[in-house]
Amino acid sequence: MAVDALDAKILRLLLEQPRTSVREYARLLGVARGTVQARLDRLERDGVITAYSPLLSPAGLGHPVLAFVHIEVTQGHLEEVADALAEVPQIIEAFSTTGGGDLLARVVARDAAHLEDVIQQLISLPGVVRTRTEVALRERVPHRMLPLVEVVGTAAGPR
């Protein structure tokens, strides 16, 4: 599925003005409302747009400590460990990886002691061999998609 220049403009508006109506997006872009809606529907269907939800701050929810936990798993137990990770509310993302571990989890906690409790919970999961934790000191580049959308839109050429 290719994202063209109009798709990129729509995505940019969606990222910059997420609470704006489709009608307003159409007005800003100078295209029909039906065109914008059809594009949004296709972008959803194709998996480009995966959700319409607010970005929440773990710190704002009382969990200012962020850590990345590398988890080594006993061979053949990856799925059951991943399922168990999904049950831990402080794990906000987890990925299968190559390298020094089998899984990488993004973990939030109220403080260092709470982080230790969460890690101990992970270590006790059946199939977990060991963990290695790295605590984030400061966010240097926040989660973002706009620069990628702009590059893809530029590569697609003008509409």
Side-chain angles (χ1 to χ4, degrees), residues 8-76:
K9 289 176 184 176
I10 293 169
L11 292 170
R12 179 186 184 103
L13 283 172
L14 195 61
L15 290 168
E16 291 178 336
Q17 302 175 35
R19 296 179 68 173
T20 302
S21 69
V22 172
R23 182 179 309 245
E24 180 63 9
Y25 291 150
R27 188 190 69 73
L28 292 169
L29 294 168
V31 298
R33 187 200 63 75
T35 299
V36 174
Q37 188 61 61
R39 295 290 186 116
L40 287 170
D41 292 345
R42 182 179 48 77
L43 291 166
E44 288 175 31
R45 228 181 9 261
D46 291 347
V48 175
I49 297 173
T50 59
Y52 293 94
S53 62
L55 294 177
L56 303 178
S57 164
L61 293 170
H63 288 68
V65 176
L66 171 64
F68 298 93
V69 180
H70 301 265
I71 304 166
E72 187 177 323
V73 176
T74 304
Q75 192 167 0

Side-chain angles (χ1 to χ4, degrees), residues 74-132:
T74 304
Q75 192 167 0
H77 290 83
L78 187 62
E79 288 301 320
E80 69 187 63
V81 172
D83 290 345
L85 294 180
E87 299 300 317
V88 179
Q90 294 81 15
I91 295 180
I92 57 175
E93 288 183 299
F95 302 90
S96 298
T97 62
T98 61
D102 300 299
L103 293 164
L104 176 64
R106 188 170 166 213
V107 179
V108 295
R110 293 185 303 270
D111 53 35
H114 184 226
L115 177 60
E116 181 183 12
D117 293 343
V118 173
I119 293 167
Q120 289 301 320
Q121 182 180 357
L122 299 181
I123 291 170
S124 70
L125 294 174
V128 172
V129 175
R130 71 179 52 86
T131 65
R132 181 174 52 88

